């Protein structure tokens, strides 16, 4: 996904809002239930990006949603980001280690009584891997198969 | 939670490597009425799961086919169609194979495809059908998945053998080849077949959160490239709403489909008969189960409601959404409708107190007064909350108790769990197949499990546990009506998985795990006959 500079600025502001939302219970409490309900589905119009440094990467976290999580140190604090299926990152040859600088496109979603930041695209340097599609559903390793790899699947019985 | 996951992950590794070590617990010798002769004839089979091949990551895999068992342990012939995330391998010839059946109905099935073979664990639910999981783990392929097999009636192996109205549920992946798809899709509906013509079709499609419903037509025909497979195996080709499929006829009441042009959709079409023609004639309780994808990961929902005409009460639902559990008690403003233009099609809606601004909505197609398929269509202002579908069935035989929940059952669950892949922990497919004897609501039996990251299934786990019966969901306090089940699996270590269970009748129950956020599985408990 390519953002224009203008979009980047706008998204940067929104990202700050997201960050503040994570670190300010007061702001979170201002959300009406109806607002929260909208966070049950993914909306490209709400997307922001986070810039940060990897503090911890976990391929299988014990914090819902199930899957890979990364804790990012941003300018506004630490944020736990859900990255979906770690095998997708592996298939995309994107490794995350403490100290890595990353840019993550995504948005806040709700799960039960809590919110979390759901990644859609993870950028590290020149690498980018989509861990969600534009509707927010998690991608699978099948999403990144090359035509040659797809052809090789004809050997499956 | 973490400890349980670690226990499970470690146990998986130990189960794999400790077959000859000390401390291994094995199930007692099987007892029961089944023999190799219990599997005799032609059976149409399906599995859905994943495969490893050619050094690629795990790839979604669906297969549908037919095998012939000779009653003495040999597979004599067969054919299967395979779809791996949209890549199709058509009409693979099953050149031989073998099988075993223990007295308890558990056994093994190996299908030989030339130089290659695929392996399954099976549990018979009768001499006409059974449950199976893919347990293939050899040098050329590892694959897993859950499915079943049903005895075919060769007399119906002709195009005209598919006749009358049918309802269907095809699910899997769409045909979108643009990254990052393929994406999840649920495609359910109904059609009428008559001598190869498909008409009066109507579908409800949820393709990656985009809903669409429309009428359609199509065709059913002999496969011009494999003509003999129709008379030999009940196999042919179909065009349904513009999508190509291969089908396998079980009999005139059931046909199994798998898509062949982009995407990976598979499922059954079931003959429709004696359906209610007005909402007023519906007077029953129903249990439903759906599974699929949400924005949080995998999702399962199991629930029930009572319909008295359009008035719906006693709505209960249990959700596992990405490892987060949600109990829905006493859904309000509940109702059902029937679609006058499309027989058997209707909707079920209710207000979930957990989500007041996003009412639960399902569309269903009844194949009879007591059976049907169901697709979730819950949305909020931003769109669909998931892509999920499954089964709806009328509830009967209550009160449920130790008196009627008794005897031998096949037990199967499938879904995702966090597993240790050797280098790191990851979520991956988990399939379990078991046979249990239920006495005084206690379970005892044996199981196979395939946690796919290990690459190797684990056989003959001692299975134990218990069922707690609280009611059928019609009590005034819905929350107190939940039935639960715990299943403990033991080999060199043991782990316990806890479920909420909804009984359709004493012979059939649907369940999903309701504790342990590191697992999203749903399954079926089905009596053996």
């Amino acid at each position: 996904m390519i953002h224009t500079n203008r979009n980047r600025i706008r998204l940067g502001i929104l990202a700050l809002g997201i960050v503040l939302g994570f670190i300010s219970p007061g702001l979170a409490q201002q959300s009406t239930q109806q607002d929260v309900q909208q966070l049950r589905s993914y909306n490209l119009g709400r997307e922001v990006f986070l810039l940060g440094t990897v503090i911890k990467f976990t391929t299988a976290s014990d914090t819902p949603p199930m899957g890979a999580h990364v804790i990012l140190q941003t300018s506004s604090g630490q944020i736990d980001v859900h990255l979906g299926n770690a095998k997708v990152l592996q298939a995309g040859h994107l490794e995350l280690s403490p100290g890595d600088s990353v840019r993550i496109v995504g948005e806040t979603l709700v799960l039960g009584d809590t919110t979390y930041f759901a990644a859609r695209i993870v950028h590290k340097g020149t690498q980018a891997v989509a861990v969600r599609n534009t509707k927010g559903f998690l991608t699978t390793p099948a999403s990144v198969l090359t035509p040659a790899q797809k052809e090789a699947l004809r050997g499956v019985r | 939670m973490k400890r349980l996951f670690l226990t499970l992950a470690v146990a998986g590794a130990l189960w794999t490597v400790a077959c000859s070590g000390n401390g291994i617990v094995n199930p007692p010798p099987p007892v029961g009425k089944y023999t190799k002769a219990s599997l005799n004839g032609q059976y149409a089979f399906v599995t859905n799961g994943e495969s490893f091949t050619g050094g690629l990551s795990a790839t979604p895999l669906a297969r549908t086919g037919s095998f012939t068992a000779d009653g003495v342990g040999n597979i004599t012939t067969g054919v299967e169609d395979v779809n791996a995330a949209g890549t199709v391998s058509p009409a693979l010839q099953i050149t031989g194979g073998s099988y075993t059946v223990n007295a308890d109905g558990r056994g093994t099935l190996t299908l030989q495809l030339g130089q290659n073979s695929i392996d399954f664990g099976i549990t018979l639910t009768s001499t006409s059908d059974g449950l199976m999981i893919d347990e293939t783990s050899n040098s050329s392929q590892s694959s897993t998945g859950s499915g079943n097999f049903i005895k075919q009636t060769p007399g119906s192996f002709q195009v005209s053998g598919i006749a009358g109205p049918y309802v269907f549920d095809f699910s899997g992946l769409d045909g979108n080849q643009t990254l990052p798809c393929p994406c999840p899709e649920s495609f359910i509906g109904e059609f009428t077949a008559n001598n190869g013509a498909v008409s009066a079709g109507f579908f409800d499609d949820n393709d990656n959160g985009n809903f669409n419903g429309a009428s359609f037509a199509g065709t059913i025909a002999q496969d011009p490239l494999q003509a003999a497979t129709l008379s030999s195996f009940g196999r042919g080709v179909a065009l349904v709403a513009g999508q190509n499929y291969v089908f396998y006829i079980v009999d005139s009441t059931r046909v199994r489909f798998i898509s062949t042009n982009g995407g990976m959709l598979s499922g059954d079409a079931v003959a429709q008969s004696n359906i209610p023609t007005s909402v007023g004639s519906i007077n029953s309780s129903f249990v439903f189960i759906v599974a699929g994808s949400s924005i949080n990961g995998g999702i399962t929902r199991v629930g029930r409601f009572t319909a008295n005409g359009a008035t719906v009460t006693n709505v209960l639902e249990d959700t596992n959404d990405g490892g987060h559990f949600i109990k829905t008690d006493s859904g309000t403003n509940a109702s059902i409708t029937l679609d006058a233009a499309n027989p058997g099609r209707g909707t079920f809606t209710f207000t979930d107190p957990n989500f007041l601004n996003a009412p639960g909505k399902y569309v269903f197609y009844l194949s009879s007064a007591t059976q049907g398929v169901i697709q979730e269509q819950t949305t909020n202002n931003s769109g669909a909350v998931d892509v999920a579908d499954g089964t709806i069935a009328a509830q009967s035989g209550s009160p449920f108790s130790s008196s009627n929940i008794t005897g031998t059952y096949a037990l199967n669950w499938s879904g995702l769990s966090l597993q240790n892949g050797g280098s790191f922990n990851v979520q991956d497919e988990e399939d379990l197949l078991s046979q249990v004897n239920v006495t005084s609501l206690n379970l005892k039996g044996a199981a196979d499990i395939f946690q796919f990251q290990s690459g190797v299934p684990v056989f003959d786990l001692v299975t134990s546990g218990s069922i707690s019966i609280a009611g059928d969901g019609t009590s005034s306090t819905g929350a107190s009506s939940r039935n639960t089940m715990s299943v403990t699996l033991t080999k060199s270590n043991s782990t316990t998985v806890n479920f909420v269970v909804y009984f359709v009748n004493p012979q059939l129950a649907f369940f999903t795990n309701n504790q342990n956020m590191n697992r999203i599985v749903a399954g079926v408990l089905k009596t053996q006959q």
Side-chain angles (χ1 to χ4, degrees), chain B residues 16-103:
Chain B
T16 300
V17 301
C19 295
S20 59
N22 294 324
I24 303 298
V25 179
N26 291 309
V31 295
K33 60 187 177 184
Y34 296 105
T35 67
K36 288 180 182 176
S38 304
L39 194 68
N40 191 350
Q42 283 186 270
Y43 295 82
F45 67 98
V46 300
T47 64
N48 270 280
E50 288 185 342
S51 74
F52 278 132
T53 187
L56 301 178
S57 293
T59 304
L61 176 73
R63 60 161 65 91
T64 303
S66 169
F67 67 80
T68 301
D70 67 358
V72 293
N74 302 302
I75 301 300
T76 57
T77 186
V79 63
E80 68 161 354
D81 289 77
V82 176
N83 188 322
T87 300
V88 177
S89 299
L92 301 174
Q93 299 301 304
I94 296 171
T95 53
S98 61
Y99 69 92
T100 63
V101 176
N102 300 330

Side-chain angles (χ1 to χ4, degrees), chain A residues 37 41 59 116 143 150 157, chain B residues 80 88 177 179 296 380 425:
Chain A
Q37 298 299 319
S41 56
T59 55
Y116 69 97
S143 306
K150 289 179 182 177
R157 305 297 175 186
Chain B
E80 68 161 354
V88 177
Q177 296 299 307
L179 294 178
N296 305 304
N380 59 24
N425 296 333

Side-chain angles (χ1 to χ4, degrees), chain A residues 32-71:
Chain A
T32 65
Q33 185 178 21
Q34 188 163 6
D35 293 333
V36 172
Q37 298 299 319
Q38 302 317 311
L39 304 182
R40 290 179 70 199
S41 56
Y42 201 90
N43 183 345
L44 284 178
R46 291 196 305 258
E47 269 192 343
V48 296
F49 66 79
L50 302 175
L51 294 173
T53 303
V54 174
I55 299 295
K56 182 181 180 183
F57 172 62
T58 310
T59 55
S61 172
D62 56 4
T63 301
M66 195 167 96
H69 287 245
V70 64
I71 296 177

Side-chain angles (χ1 to χ4, degrees), chain B residues 230-445:
Chain B
L230 179 59
S231 60
S232 299
F233 305 108
R235 179 185 177 277
V237 294
L239 180 67
V240 178
Q243 174 95 17
N244 294 113
Y245 294 84
V246 160
F247 67 79
Y248 287 82
I249 299 171
V250 175
D251 54 34
S252 60
T253 68
R254 183 179 293 268
V255 186
R256 326 201 90 164
F257 289 77
I258 185 168
S259 65
T260 57
N261 69 327
M264 189 189 82
L265 294 175
S266 65
D268 286 5
V270 178
Q272 187 185 55
S273 64
N274 301 317
I275 54 173
T277 55
S278 68
V279 170
S281 62
I282 298 176
N283 186 6
S284 179
S285 293
F286 290 90
V287 173
F288 61 92
I289 181 170
V290 298
S293 301
S294 83
I295 55 175
N296 305 304
I299 187 168
T300 61
R301 298 191 201 271
V302 188
R304 57 91 58 216
F305 63 88
T306 300
N308 185 358
T311 303
V312 174
T313 57
N314 301 114
V315 179
L316 288 180
E317 186 178 71
D318 284 80
T319 299
N320 182 345
D321 186 0
H324 177 79
F325 308 103
I326 303 166
K327 288 183 177 181
T328 299
D329 298 327
S330 306
T332 58
N333 302 318
S335 65
I336 57 172
T337 65
L338 284 182
D339 179 355
N342 297 290
R345 178 179 182 273
T347 60
F348 161 51
T349 58
F350 65 98
T351 298
D352 184 336
N354 298 301
F355 307 106
L356 294 175
N357 296 304
K361 180 181 178 183
Y362 295 86
V363 63
F364 58 80
Y365 290 81
L366 294 177
S367 55
S368 70
T370 60
Q371 294 281 334
V373 299
I374 188 169
Q375 177 188 85
E376 183 168 4
Q377 295 194 341
T378 304
T379 62
N380 59 24
N381 288 344
S382 297
V385 302
D386 62 28
V387 179
D389 61 19
T391 297
I392 182 170
Q395 194 177 38
S396 62
S398 66
F400 305 123
S401 69
S402 59
S403 298
N404 54 16
I405 310 295
T406 187
T408 59
Y409 291 79
L411 184 155
N412 168 231
W413 77 60
S414 181
L416 298 170
S417 65
L418 291 182
Q419 304 164 23
N420 189 325
S423 56
F424 60 89
N425 296 333
V426 69
Q427 67 184 49
D428 207 343
E429 170 126 1
E430 173 177 293
D431 295 89
L432 176 136
L433 182 61
S434 177
Q435 187 268 0
V436 291
N437 189 4
V438 180
T439 305
S440 301
L441 299 179
N442 292 311
L443 286 65
K444 288 185 178 179

Side-chain angles (χ1 to χ4, degrees), chain B residues 435-466:
Chain B
Q435 187 268 0
V436 291
N437 189 4
V438 180
T439 305
S440 301
L441 299 179
N442 292 311
L443 286 65
K444 288 185 178 179
D448 291 354
I449 190 170
F450 201 162
Q451 293 184 313
F452 202 44
Q453 273 298 309
S454 70
V456 181
V458 182
F459 305 106
D460 300 325
L461 302 160
V462 174
T463 307
S464 60
S466 62

Side-chain angles (χ1 to χ4, degrees), chain A residues 21-140:
Chain A
F22 269 88
I23 62 176
S24 170
L27 281 181
Q29 290 169 1
Q30 291 174 15
S31 298
T32 65
Q33 185 178 21
Q34 188 163 6
D35 293 333
V36 172
Q37 298 299 319
Q38 302 317 311
L39 304 182
R40 290 179 70 199
S41 56
Y42 201 90
N43 183 345
L44 284 178
R46 291 196 305 258
E47 269 192 343
V48 296
F49 66 79
L50 302 175
L51 294 173
T53 303
V54 174
I55 299 295
K56 182 181 180 183
F57 172 62
T58 310
T59 55
S61 172
D62 56 4
T63 301
M66 195 167 96
H69 287 245
V70 64
I71 296 177
L72 279 190
Q73 180 67 56
T74 73
S75 59
S76 302
Q78 292 189 359
I79 297 179
D80 180 9
V81 180
H82 179 237
L83 301 179
N85 189 337
K87 290 184 296 181
V88 174
L89 294 171
Q90 184 188 39
H93 307 291
L94 195 153
E95 297 181 358
L96 295 176
S97 302
D100 287 345
S101 294
V102 296
R103 177 174 177 271
I104 296 179
V105 177
E107 66 185 60
T108 299
L109 298 176
V110 66
L111 184 59
D113 297 328
T114 62
T115 58
Y116 69 97
F117 193 86
R120 184 171 71 82
I121 303 175
V122 181
H123 297 265
K124 176 186 167 186
T126 58
Q127 289 180 284
V129 173
V131 297
R132 279 182 165 78
N133 65 37
T134 55
K135 287 287 187 174
F137 296 107
L138 301 187
T139 58
T140 73

